[in-house]
Amino acid sequence: MSRKTILITGGAGYIGSSTAYFLKQEGFEPIILDNFSTSHRPKNFLFSTYEVDLTKYEELSSIFTKLPKIYAVFHFAAKALVPESTEKAWDYFHNNINATLNIAECAKDFSVPYFIHSSTCAVYGTPKTIPIKETSLLLPETPYGQSKLASENVLQQYSKWKNLRVLNLRYFNPAGAFPNSGLGELHQPETHLIPNLVISLIQNIPFKIFGNDYSTPDGTCIRDFIHIRDLAKAHLLALNYLEKQPQVTCETLNIGRGKGISVHEVIQVAEKILRVKAKIEFHPRRPGDPSELVADTSEMKSKFLWTPQFSLENMIEDHWNFIQGRLS
Ligand code: UDP
């Protein structure tokens, strides 16, 4: 039987490339679309790859005409740095919303049966209650979160009027790497907690904690970390769910572990794994950082009949190994 082709937008980025790697192992044929604006073509990249600006419909649709039949689109491509989005709001709206409109239009024009969209817990803003359910109030506080909520709304309309079948996955905090894949989290500039922490421990340079006066037990923010291996698997389970449930047109699920861990606790775990003491510096809060983001994962667990497998220790260790591979 021939392999099913999955079109992966943003497939050169951290989550997209890791998911492509996983799908290949699972017997699919990933094809990557990327504009390489925030990523580079990874070394030994094994997938067929097209450079394209998703905000240009004609460019995108001319690529679709050259592709084999697409079984599903996994739409990762987006500008996704929360702090940057507060300074470059227009770029975030223009890029993220237009890319979603165009890829949805092409998916409809070329009769792609399934569409999985990477959304984010940033759509909730500062939640009133924890854990956060999918039905919680949607009040994103940053242009990034607002652009992703707008993208969800675009896809909801496509499912309603244009027969696109959509699952929105609202990720909490992905981290870690597929061991020995050569793929992992490496942004420029890097803003995320685990990559910044690991590099500061390796290089013995200060690690900045942004805010230690939050109303949490130790004063630092609480997040729900999920291993990239679990997150990649969740995408396949999302596809399987749409395949098995033909009545589903558009649904939205939280993807996390449902476990809240503070910045201080992450530092303690990393210190133990790397066997180095962190040099901590306290800095003011970052704009748009809610004190606590933890998923209610009951919908995900009951719909996918699945629970994430990997721990915070796994995430830190796998990220550390990935970085050592890049530094050597
Ligand atoms: N954080 C930090 N130092 C860093 C990076 C992040 O203290 O170098 C904090 C950040 O303020 C937030 C948490 O770690 O409270 C998670 O931030 P991250 O950017 O990893 O994910 P976000 O939840 O913002 O998407």
Side-chain angles (χ1 to χ4, degrees):
M1 221 175 70
S2 69
R3 289 167 164 251
K4 289 175 177 148
T5 302
I6 312 273
L7 191 65
I8 302 194
T9 74
Y14 167 48
I15 303 174
S17 63
S18 301
T19 305
Y21 176 84
F22 172 73
L23 289 171
K24 185 104 182 173
Q25 288 179 331
E26 293 290 316
F28 292 88
E29 193 57 48
I31 295 182
I32 306 295
L33 303 184
D34 209 294
N35 65 0
F36 297 103
S37 62
T38 56
S39 54
H40 49 277
R41 205 177 285 253
K43 263 194 259 160
N44 310 322
F45 209 39
L46 300 170
F47 316 112
S48 99
T49 303
Y50 294 82
E51 185 165 350
V52 57
D53 180 351
L54 292 179
T55 66
K56 306 218 161 78
Y57 177 79
E58 300 304 330
E59 219 180 279
L60 181 59
S61 112
S62 82
I63 288 181
F64 260 83
T65 58
K66 294 182 212 153
L67 297 176
K69 172 91 189 124
I70 302 298
Y71 187 66
V73 167
F74 286 18
H75 176 40
F76 297 92
K79 283 181 170 290
L81 297 177
V82 176
E84 183 186 69
S85 83
T86 61
E87 288 151 25
K88 297 184 178 171
W90 191 86
D91 282 357
Y92 273 69
F93 289 124
H94 166 72
N95 187 76
N96 295 355
I97 300 171
N98 282 322
T100 304
L101 277 165
N102 288 338
I103 190 74
E105 186 69 12
C106 280
K108 184 259 301 172
D109 287 348
F110 291 83
S111 307
V112 177
Y114 306 110
F115 195 104
I116 312 293
H117 172 226
S118 60
S119 188
T120 167
C121 62
V123 297
Y124 297 114
T126 302
K128 288 226 162 35
T129 50
I130 297 288
I132 310 169
K133 287 182 182 302
E134 288 84 351
T135 50
S136 300
L137 207 58
L138 300 172
L139 275 180
E141 285 162 14
T142 60
Y144 169 62
Q146 288 158 359
S147 71
K148 288 307 243 180
L149 181 55
S151 296
E152 284 190 10
N153 291 335
V154 163
L155 293 169
Q156 161 123 59
Q157 293 304 316
Y158 266 85
S159 75
K160 189 167 171 192
W161 300 106
K162 316 265 180 170
N163 297 324
L164 198 62
R165 296 188 55 218
V166 177
L167 219 62
N168 293 299
L169 303 182
R170 289 185 185 148
Y171 311 153
F172 279 64
N173 285 64
F178 276 88
N180 307 316
S181 65
L183 303 169
E185 187 168 19
L186 204 58
H187 297 110
Q188 199 52 261
E190 188 52 79
T191 62
H192 291 111
L193 171 59
I194 291 178
N196 280 349
L197 177 59
V198 166
I199 206 72
S200 77
L201 291 176
I202 291 175
Q203 298 181 343
N204 194 29
I205 53 174
F207 172 72
K208 297 177 181 170
I209 294 186
F210 297 119
N212 62 343
D213 56 352
Y214 285 96
S215 55
T216 57
D218 66 22
T220 62
C221 288
I222 292 178
R223 293 290 182 270
D224 180 353
F225 296 91
I226 178 163
H227 199 297
I228 189 72
R229 297 178 75 175
D230 282 322
L231 187 58
K233 171 125 187 200
H235 288 80
L236 181 52
L237 294 171
L239 177 60
N240 295 156
Y241 177 72
L242 285 178
E243 288 168 331
K244 284 189 212 136
Q245 307 288 339
Q247 80 289 357
V248 172
T249 54
C250 179
E251 285 187 6
T252 300
L253 293 177
N254 287 339
I255 307 290
R257 282 190 312 148
K259 288 188 176 47
I261 303 180
S262 75
V263 172
H264 259 310
E265 287 167 335
V266 175
I267 296 171
Q268 283 164 4
V269 173
E271 286 179 332
K272 226 186 241 167
I273 293 173
L274 275 78
R275 299 205 195 131
V276 204
K277 199 90 192 118
K279 287 185 179 166
I280 293 173
E281 275 182 1
F282 293 105
H283 286 255
R285 297 178 180 197
R286 288 191 315 203
D289 268 349
S291 66
E292 196 168 351
L293 293 171
V294 181
D296 181 323
T297 55
S298 44
E299 286 287 307
M300 171 197 86
K301 285 178 179 156
S302 74
K303 290 189 167 152
F304 293 173
L305 302 172
W306 173 76
T307 304
Q309 304 289 302
F310 296 99
S311 64
L312 180 67
E313 283 79 358
N314 297 142
M315 296 177 219
I316 293 173
E317 197 157 356
D318 291 339
H319 180 76
W320 181 32
N321 286 330
F322 161 68
I323 288 296
Q324 282 176 310
R326 296 299 291 238
L327 295 177
S328 62

